[in-house]
Amino acid sequence: MAAREEEWSMSDFEIGRYIGEGKFGKVYLAREKQSGYVVALKVIFKAKLEKYRFHAQLRREVEIQRDLDHPNVLRLFTWFHDEEKVVLVLEYAARGELYKVLRAAGRFDERTAATYVASLAGALAYCHKKGIIHRDIKPENLLLDLEGRLKIADFGWAARSDAKRHTLCGTIDYLAPEMVEKKAHDHAVDNWTLGILCYEFLYGSPPFEADEQDDTLRRIAKVDWAFPATPRVSSEAKDLISKLLVKDSSKRLCLEDIMKHPWIQKNAEPSGSCIKRKDVTGAKVNEK
């Protein structure tokens, strides 16, 4: 989408179908009238922002995401507002949430899991170099574009990494021990979450999952997890997970070493997509 000087408004877009919903609003497929470019519009209602006192968090999300430009980070092209709503103009990820893909599959094979982990590691390395910690990486916040490439979305809990953070945020199954124990945390919380996701991709559920939230938190604090006997997972994949799910955040494998890990080198698709070419060219985007 091209930049322009005048303020954007809803009248600049043809609004298509509803494609998702969040706590504060809804997401619609849309086409920018002048260019024909297809985007996603995240419509956030100011009344809800007021009710939940979310103004500062949304402002931080916009400030962070609009400066990010990486093939595995969902682009925020621009934003605008009127009396009732704030609208974020986002890149459209045609294949939707990775969460739904994972639930439909049950679990991923090692090629698929490694490809997504490598894409995530590269994107997070880029964010960390820009001084950004995401803090809420989970399958629901990961999208797939038409070609099947992963995109990190939803920077609502992201923060600048210029100082240690103390806010408890994110989703319980993916919280790092230092967050559970309300200790200061830094970019290494994202590395921990990569270990959680790698495990979940291969086994179908996160390693600290329990019936009660308190039990999950206790298990995370104790780093109480194990590899199930089934399904069969390679020793190289287990090695990578074991080097990420480490309580001492300073000893977790760094993102650059994740990308160099033998399991990633052996299995990850360089293109970042596990979808066959015929499935890409044959895919249809229902825009209305």
Side-chain angles (χ1 to χ4, degrees), residues 42-87:
K42 186 175 183 179
V43 181
I44 303 159
F45 300 105
K46 288 185 175 180
K48 288 195 174 183
L49 289 177
E50 194 74 41
K51 179 179 179 182
Y52 294 100
R53 299 178 181 176
F54 201 76
H55 294 91
Q57 195 166 332
L58 178 62
R59 189 179 302 114
R60 185 175 66 232
E61 177 181 357
V62 168
E63 287 173 354
I64 286 173
Q65 197 171 352
R66 71 182 178 188
D67 291 334
L68 300 178
D69 185 6
H70 185 277
N72 297 113
V73 175
L74 196 75
R75 287 294 309 277
L76 170 61
F77 295 117
T78 190
W79 69 281
F80 58 89
H81 68 101
D82 57 27
E83 288 185 6
E84 296 181 348
K85 57 192 175 291
V86 178
V87 181

Side-chain angles (χ1 to χ4, degrees), residues 135-154:
R135 302 199 298 179
D136 196 21
I137 297 291
K138 59 182 178 179
E140 294 91 331
N141 288 343
L142 303 174
L143 305 177
L144 296 174
D145 69 8
L146 186 61
E147 284 76 31
R149 290 186 300 260
L150 181 143
K151 305 277 182 176
I152 299 178
D154 200 334

Side-chain angles (χ1 to χ4, degrees), residues 34 43 61 63 112-113 135 137 179 198 206 235 263 270 274 285:
Q34 190 170 347
V43 181
E61 177 181 357
E63 287 173 354
T112 303
R135 302 199 298 179
I137 297 291
M179 297 181 88
C198 189
S235 58
W263 181 69
C274 296
V285 180

Side-chain angles (χ1 to χ4, degrees), residues 155-223:
F155 282 74
W157 284 117
R160 302 280 176 188
S161 60
D162 47 5
K164 287 270 190 174
R165 298 282 166 173
H166 292 81
T167 307
L168 177 62
C169 60
T171 305
I172 284 181
D173 284 320
Y174 305 90
L175 293 178
E178 57 267 33
M179 297 181 88
V180 169
E181 295 177 340
K182 299 186 170 93
K183 295 178 180 176
H185 61 267
D186 59 17
H187 63 273
V189 298
D190 287 341
N191 301 42
W192 169 273
T193 310
L194 261 183
I196 300 286
L197 281 175
C198 189
Y199 183 107
E200 184 174 8
F201 290 164
L202 294 168
Y203 289 101
S205 59
F208 299 100
E209 190 174 62
D211 292 335
E212 300 292 333
Q213 287 189 358
D214 286 348
D215 290 336
T216 299
L217 294 172
R218 178 188 54 79
R219 290 186 63 197
I220 292 170
K222 290 185 174 181
V223 195

